[in-house]
Amino acid sequence: MATTLRKNREIKIENKLNEEPVSKDNKVIYDTRGLNLWYGETQALKNIDLPIQENHVTAIIGPSGCGKSTYIKTLNRMVELVPSVRTTGEILYRGKNIFERSYRVEELRTRVGMVFQKPNPFPKSIFENVAYGPKVHGIRDKKILKDIVEKSLKGAAIWEEVKDRLNENAYGLSGGQQQRLCIARCLAIEPDVILMDEPTSALDPKSTLKVEELVQELKKNYSIVIVTHNMQQAARISDKTAFFLNGEVVEFDQTDRVFSTPQDLRTEDYITGRFG
Amino acid sequence: MATTLRKNREIKIENKLNEEPVSKDNKVIYDTRGLNLWYGETQALKNIDLPIQENHVTAIIGPSGCGKSTYIKTLNRMVELVPSVRTTGEILYRGKNIFERSYRVEELRTRVGMVFQKPNPFPKSIFENVAYGPKVHGIRDKKILKDIVEKSLKGAAIWEEVKDRLNENAYGLSGGQQQRLCIARCLAIEPDVILMDEPTSALDPKSTLKVEELVQELKKNYSIVIVTHNMQQAARISDKTAFFLNGEVVEFDQTDRVFSTPQDLRTEDYITGRFG
Amino acid sequence: MQDIIKNKKQSKNALRIVEKTIPVLLFAAAFVSVITTVGIVFTLIGETIMFFREVSFFEFYSGTVLRPLSPVDPQFSILPLIMGTLMTTLIAVLVAVPIGLTTAIYLSEYASKRARKVLKPMIEVLAGIPTIVYGFFAFTFVTPVLRDVIPGLSATNALSPGIVMGIMIIPLVASLSEDAMNSVPNSMREGAMALGATQLEVTFRVVIPAAISGIIASFVLGISRAIGETMIVTIASGSSKNFTFDITQSMQTMTAYIVEVTSGDAAAGTPIYYSIYAVAMTLFVFTLTMNMLARYISKRFREVY
Amino acid sequence: ACGEGEEGGTSEEAATSGAEETDGNNTEENNNEAGEELSGTVAIDGSGTVYPLMARIAEEFMINEQEGVSVEVSRAGTSAGMQRFVNGETDLSNASREIREEEIEELEANGIESREYKVALDGLTIVIHPDNDWANEMTEEEIKEIFVTGNITESDEIMWSDIRSDWPDEQVNFYGPNENHGTNEFFVEEIIDEQDLVQTINLQQEYSTLVTLISEDENAIGFFGYGYYANNTDELEAVAIDFGDGPVEPSLDTIEEDGEYGPFTRPVFTNLSINSAQEKPEVKAFAEYVFEVADDLAGDTGFAPLPEEELNEQLEDVQSIQ
Amino acid sequence: MKQPEMKQEEYIDLDLVNRKMNKRLMLNKAVKYLFLVSTFIGLVVLAILLYRVAMDSAGWIDWQFLTDRLSSNPEIAGIRGAITGTLWLMLIVGPVTMILGISTAIYLEEYAKRGRLHSFIQTNIANLAGVPSIVFGILGLTVFVRMFGFGASVIAGALTMSLLVLPIVVVSAQEAIRSVPGFLREASYGMGATKWQTIKNVVLPASIPGIATGVILALSRAIGETAPLVVLGIPALLIPVPSGPMDNFTALPMQIYYWTIDAVLVHEYANLAAATIVVLLLVLFILNSLAILIRAKFQKRY
Ligand SMILES: Nc1ncnc2c1ncn2[C@@H]1O[C@H](COP(=O)(O)OP(=O)(O)OP(=O)(O)O)[C@@H](O)[C@H]1O
Ligand SMILES: Nc1ncnc2c1ncn2[C@@H]1O[C@H](COP(=O)(O)OP(=O)(O)OP(=O)(O)O)[C@@H](O)[C@H]1O
Ligand SMILES: [Mg+2]
Ligand SMILES: [Mg+2]
Ligand SMILES: O=P([O-])([O-])[O-]
């Protein structure tokens, strides 16, 4: 298995770390503590502890059905769209528990953007897609909107391809372009964290590459959590990797370590292709 | 990348081979020649040449959308269920062109069984599922049917698990059991060739292993074509591997060779996880 | 096994005959609907032509006086009936569209699964109540209640049956709109929600625009249902054939006219008798147009996603 | 005739399966002596006005006389019913007016011989709102005058005070059944002499609508058959008409052709197909029964009975059909 | 890749966003309740309607009312004839629409090529669904009553109703057939089954719940329709109970209609009409519950 080695991070984060870190560089932006989640009767997440660091790319890997999507959707409480969902434990976003009653989920989602597995642009023009978030948040000024749209499209590395057809329907774009458009849409509200759920799994190789490059680029300004079933991808782009299995975090460490010297036998089995 | 080496085949089949082979052991059972296929306007298969040998496991790999499913469905003309499909070229099954007007597609499908990506048992009892094929072909005799069902379930290595609940609905089985039931259903008409389209992609690791073992077992009596996106799987179980990309066969050779010394750069990129 | 199958060649031939004949039989059945349409047109067209031999086409569609039964000076103009139909339909639509749409929104976007499971069938009961019951209800309950509020309201009027017709078609609008909204993929809602949009913003800025073709089609179907509704107006709207916009007064719709004449005194062969065919033909063309419109709209405004 | 106490076909199977056997017998002998069990169907259509009476008679006939016979009464209206009668679809056709010349011709053309019989009397009743305490009595002339267009004012917007100066200065609202009804025809032809009705009149198809409209309008004045008044005396008040000898209230006693309410009285009819009566004994039996019980049942359904002699004459006439 | 300097909070002012958020959330909540209220408007009307019918019919529904024959005397009048007539209608409309509807749906979904003919028939069915019922009445009068000489018999009424509700069955059967997942068909074809075998053995059994629901909905429409029957000329007084398809008949909605308009002559008829409405609603309720039950029971097992 070809693992692309990444420059080593200075500080090794203990798995199941509980103390708040001090150095700016590894400030924990999202801290999951003892998270359990049930869909009705079936438990999808089991006692998850997972600190996510600022300006890092954290990859979540694991076989199908292990709870990757569920976890990432819990981070912005999107999982609650499923009516039967129940959670215990806490997730601290910048120190505040997002499950608290007074916590306004819309506010959370304004800070935390999300990109989905299948590109899901709105059936509107490219411009409207990107402008949707700012508009919702009350920005009406045409000029500002235009600036935001341009900036976001540039940030998502798609500006050149679409700048002449901003008023065309987003569904005229190719899958890869659509996905980058969705990233642009998410950048338009200037989030803090970007959650990505298998953002390249529906894309062709070339588009995949583009998105991967983009992720590397975005890391400078955003904290990124990315779910992927493609281990090579995780190895290529992430700083830290969490391996999920049956709703549990089996292993969480620096990416290179997870792929070179996995601590858990199950992790090894998985990355050597024994299952999945 | 861990490749399980298989015993070398004696005869190297040239890619794009056109002459009929002579030795029994490598008799070509399916010969695809210059096959093109369009869905409406979009071409999904481009000039495919692919000889498939008797009692071999032929794996077809390639990124999503490259035409794997389309190709395997063309082998039993199932692809024609899509109304807009158009083909040129020919596929010889045991020397006869299956696209010929006089060719009876039901007969072809009686000789060529198919197992699908998602287990697709009928919403009937386990017994009825396996007995479906024989019944459709006019076998009414209770006793014969019972024998066939038992033999097929045994052949699919699921008899022990279901023998006491043959009259229960097949949807009560687990995903892995369902898939083996579908294999049993396909064995019941004693086909010649079995086509499998990602038969394990919806299964958990344990079930996957079972099905893989089963494929190895079945190879003794059947010729098998298997589509998979799991390269390790292809490496583990197949004798020959064809790598598809954008509707073309980029590489076709003995499995070990494809994985150890790919001839085409794109194949290498793919199996080293550059894309897909 | 394969041998046994080969030996069954005999039954294979029988099978082939079945395969050949079945589609023919099925086609024949499918053609019944075409024959029905042809039948309707043929039943109506002959008598309609007879009617236009006696009454000028121009007068029928441009005059404003309908006095079919007058022994001295019968006059035939469909405009009062069209006016009655339009007025009651308009009222019905004004009731059904807002309520139906908001109901659909509530059920599809806000209600919990359980609430939807209970509420939806309850609302659909409204569609299952025979129209004769609604007619009765409009005449004996809604009109008297309205008369307390609107002093000038006549005991038979266009308002009350219009409202009741609106109530009747709420489920139609709600159901179809809800279906349209349900078929908007969740991924789109998620996309909007992930940007911090509230439910309301998701609904009005994403879901409804995406479902608009289905929603409009439901309105159009509601309208054609209202146009074709008979018993409610027959009972509650009276039989005055005035060409008026005054919805507080008795008006007659095309359908009610047909009931009046068929259950009344018209002798075959008289212009009155033929007039119901001309009216029915007009009604048929009306609803046909509406349906074509609905189909056109769903095609034209369908959002691609 | 008496079928009481006899075992008739109570269940529908018995009724229809018995039909064929007895049918055969009867056509042979072609008589319908008392006590004989008949079967088959009598189809009646026509006037909605006559319907309640005819339905009542039919019901009594089926209960008391011939359980095996099904008398079906429809109410398509006089002319529509006549149309079916002319086509030979019905055996009797009720009418709230006399048969028309064209209808007779058509019957002849179709080879159907028919006879018109009077069944009962209906008194055209002028009704007002119960709170109306001024117009309780009016003269025949006043009625004939105010219902005609242009008589009092050009616009036909008539005030009560236009009729009698001491009546209120409020507009009169006119109501009546529409031209679909024989009642309208009678009013126009017999009462106002084929002049046009006031333009402001509100003509309705359904009597229920009319009753509601008038009962809710203090300035209403309307007309329809006595039956519709008699059953709604709580909501309506009848105007007593002065035909010259003082005001007369319509009632079953005064509605007689030569009675005090005579001028506003009209007969209602039924037309009998002689062909049917000859071929189907049940039709003849029923027709006879009509005239045997019409006087008893007329009152119940809001009609005044015909004089005894007239009924008997008609009964004999039916009996004489061979 | 050119990377513009993306500074946080450049355009989006979080304070402003938060301040607006309150308003937006409040609006969302307010509108939610508004929609809820709107949803209940229909239900309130339904409740009033049912309450009034129940009040009017109180004391009038008893065994005698259900089993006795028609009479002009409200005290002894019963609706046995109307109930039987309605049952007869269902007995014919059910199978006729089922056979025609399913056949049409299979033809359209499985056999017809997507072309002119297909879209012509499809458009035609959609149009028929919108044709007013009274027009079907005129068709039935001309064709079944007069041309075929059926008179105002059960068969004439049932055939008219069948044509009227046929589109309902066709559309729901089409939907049911369409929703049979492709993989079931593929599984069958994969075994070498022919098209008809696949339809018969796999597609139809899997779509039965949807079809049954459609037929039931069609039936409930058919037994509630009044206008076509008025046009067909159903007798107002018919005491014998129909015992076969060729017998004349009356049905529950007709009885309601006549009793409603005759209430002006005999006030108790209004109560009889209400009582009959209750019976009709009860039948409809049972039918609809059946449809819901079927839907729930067979919901997506695959
Ligand atoms: N809406 C839901 N209702 C009930 N169970 C659910 C729901 N969504 C997911 N699950 C279950 O929760 C478990 C975790 O699902 P999840 O989607 O998080 O897996 P995943 O790791 O994202 O898998 P994949 O790689 O296939 O996307 C699975 O067993 C799944 O069946
Ligand atoms: N029914 C169809 N109509 C039109 N295009 C189709 C249809 N099915 C497949 N295609 C197109 O044909 C191409 C090949 O599809 P195919 O399903 O064979 O890919 P695949 O290799 O099996 O991919 P996967 O790994 O995702 O199953 C794709 O571009 C796809 O979009
Ligand atoms: Mg997932
Ligand atoms: Mg595939
Ligand atoms: O229905 P009519 O008796 O008034 O003709």
Side-chain angles (χ1 to χ4, degrees), chain D residues 123-126 226 229 238-241 248-252 254-255 261:
Chain D
L124 190 111
T125 306
I126 309 293
Y226 174 73
Y229 160 68
V239 178
I241 310 290
V248 186
E249 289 252 10
S251 72
L252 292 184
T254 54
I255 305 172
Y261 204 77

Side-chain angles (χ1 to χ4, degrees), chain A residues 17 181 199:
Chain A
L17 161 132
L181 175 65

